Amino acid sequence: MSNSDIIIGEVLGTAVLILLGAGVCAAVTLKKSKAQNAGWLAIAFGWGFAVLTAAYISAGISGAHLNPAVTLGLAVEGATPWDQVPLYIASQMVGAMLGAFLAWVAYYGQFQAHMIDLANQADAVEGAKDAKAGPVLGIFSTGPEVRNAGLNLATEIIGTFVLVIAILTQGLNDEGNGLGTLGVLITALVVVSIGLSLGGPTGYAINPARDLGPRIIHALLPLHGKGKSDWGYSWVPVVGPIVGGVLAGLFYNVALA
């Protein structure tokens, strides 16, 4: 796989992933959105369909890693050369930032209406602005319901391990050549399952680029009253998925290869 294939496939695929994933979070969160308050089920399936779309687009170009944890898991397992890992991860970060920016553009009117409403609430009730700003960050990045670094880290490790081992074991068929396009659908359904079953504690980043790229965009966007980007927590959805992906690759080599 050439360097240009990796760059094009991973930037495009990750941008689509984040555009549709952050898009469903914006749809559920923002004022004047037809899907406001649609709930966690909509978010879980929205992210699953985002994975399905992005992976289908990029699978034939770059292999549709779309996630540094997947890239590292595949490198540990031996399917991806280590010298390609930095290019994969850099491309995924660029794609994630681009996708987050496009989601903001698509929902620009709703972001404006939402922030105006928060400002009006702040005028009426002192401190309401700060209390209400948090969900805007939630459109871009994840955050814990119970803030405990050790437990939050464990949740991300477990969720990412499930994702990456599910991807790695797709090659364990009679021919050993994976599941082809069916694998894309199965991976998307695994993401839905993780969201529904393991997403409650932390919002299931399970992808360092998915969290860090949009968090950077949140910090840069000119959203008045948007709140802080919560950099104190930002290491958890980066380190946890990396550890989970590496552990999945090691487990595959020891127990299943």
Side-chain angles (χ1 to χ4, degrees):
M1 196 167 291
S2 69
N3 288 346
S4 62
D5 288 337
I6 293 171
I7 294 170
I8 293 170
E10 293 300 300
V11 170
L12 175 61
T14 311
V16 170
L17 169 65
I18 302 304
L19 169 61
L20 299 181
V24 72
C25 292
V28 171
T29 301
L30 295 176
K31 305 286 186 181
K32 306 299 183 181
S33 166
K34 293 182 182 296
Q36 188 187 19
N37 298 322
W40 188 252
L41 194 64
I43 290 174
F45 275 96
W47 273 104
F49 293 147
V51 170
L52 179 65
T53 306
Y56 188 80
I57 289 171
S58 60
I61 307 172
S62 65
H65 292 196
L66 312 179
N67 181 342
V70 171
T71 297
L72 288 169
L74 290 169
V76 170
E77 183 268 339
T80 297
W82 280 101
D83 63 352
Q84 292 184 347
V85 168
L87 186 58
Y88 266 103
I89 293 177
S91 300
Q92 291 154 4
M93 281 295 300
V94 171
M97 295 173 69
L98 176 60
F101 175 77
L102 291 175
W104 172 68
V105 172
Y107 276 89
Y108 181 82
Q110 284 70 33
F111 272 108
Q112 293 297 101
H114 191 83
M115 302 316 294
I116 290 172
D117 184 70
L118 293 181
N120 291 336
Q121 291 184 39
D123 290 339
V125 180
E126 184 178 358
K129 182 178 180 181
D130 292 334
K132 295 287 187 179
V136 177
L137 174 60
I139 293 169
F140 296 93
S141 296
T142 63
E145 290 301 304
V146 176
R147 190 173 290 263
N148 181 305
L151 295 177
N152 303 150
L153 191 67
T155 299
E156 289 294 331
I157 291 172
I158 292 168
T160 310
F161 180 92
V162 171
L163 171 64
V164 177
I165 202 65
I167 292 171
L168 293 177
T169 53
Q170 290 179 17
L172 296 179
N173 56 15
D174 291 339
E175 295 79 22
N177 56 7
L179 301 177
T181 54
L182 179 59
V184 172
L185 175 60
I186 290 174
T187 301
L189 293 175
V190 169
V191 171
V192 173
S193 178
I194 293 171
L196 294 176
S197 299
L198 302 174
T202 62
Y204 73 116
I206 59 173
N207 181 340
R210 169 265 177 274
D211 193 274
L212 182 58
R215 195 182 297 269
I216 292 171
I217 293 300
H218 174 270
L220 295 175
L221 284 176
L223 284 170
H224 179 69
K226 64 186 175 182
K228 297 180 180 180
S229 298
D230 197 8
W231 291 109
Y233 177 77
S234 64
W235 66 275
V236 173
V238 172
V239 174
I242 288 174
V243 173
V246 170
L247 288 177
L250 292 172
F251 178 83
Y252 181 91
N253 283 343
V254 171
L256 300 174

